[in-house]
Amino acid sequence: MAATGLDIRLLGRFSVRRAAKEIPPSEFHARLARTLFRLLVTRPDQLTTRDYLTESLWPGRTPADPERNLNVMIARIRRALGDASLIATGSGGYSFHPTAGCVVDA
């Protein structure tokens, strides 16, 4: 399913709206998943390495399997957004690729 009219707000209270309806934070399943999405959105069309994301999400306390944790969170983000193509998996990381119907306030 394509994300129609995706509106991402980073300034002020973080929110994501799809077709003018807010995606509830619970659809992302965890605060860290929302933080991960914000990190990717601030670097559109750029590969963000797993190492950078791991350090940003778990400074000084890396989980036993950070790659698996990132993969799970990315899957949850894609599901919440309703368009898996917005988050690309690249060699060693992930990138956010906004589509024509995607607006980011920052």
Side-chain angles (χ1 to χ4, degrees):
M1 170 188 349
T4 307
L6 198 64
D7 181 22
I8 303 166
R9 301 198 179 195
L10 299 172
L11 302 174
R13 186 180 74 82
F14 171 72
S15 70
V16 181
R17 295 180 176 275
R18 181 178 48 231
K21 183 176 179 183
E22 185 169 357
I23 299 171
S26 61
E27 284 197 39
F28 290 91
H29 292 273
R31 179 188 56 80
L32 275 181
R34 293 187 308 273
T35 301
L36 170 57
F37 182 56
R38 286 194 301 263
L39 287 168
L40 295 174
V41 168
T42 60
R43 303 173 72 165
D45 297 316
Q46 296 179 35
L47 182 73
T48 305
T49 67
R50 286 185 184 97
D51 290 340
Y52 174 83
L53 295 170
T54 298
E55 277 298 313
S56 297
L57 295 171
W58 301 284
R61 55 179 177 84
T62 305
D65 192 350
E67 186 170 337
R68 178 168 161 31
N69 288 1
L70 288 171
N71 290 341
V72 168
M73 285 192 287
I74 290 294
R76 289 175 175 170
I77 292 167
R78 287 175 173 151
R79 200 171 314 120
L81 297 176
D83 186 349
S85 70
L86 292 169
I87 308 289
T89 301
S91 178
Y94 303 97
S95 56
F96 172 68
H97 296 286
T99 60
C102 183
V103 177
V104 181
D105 70 351

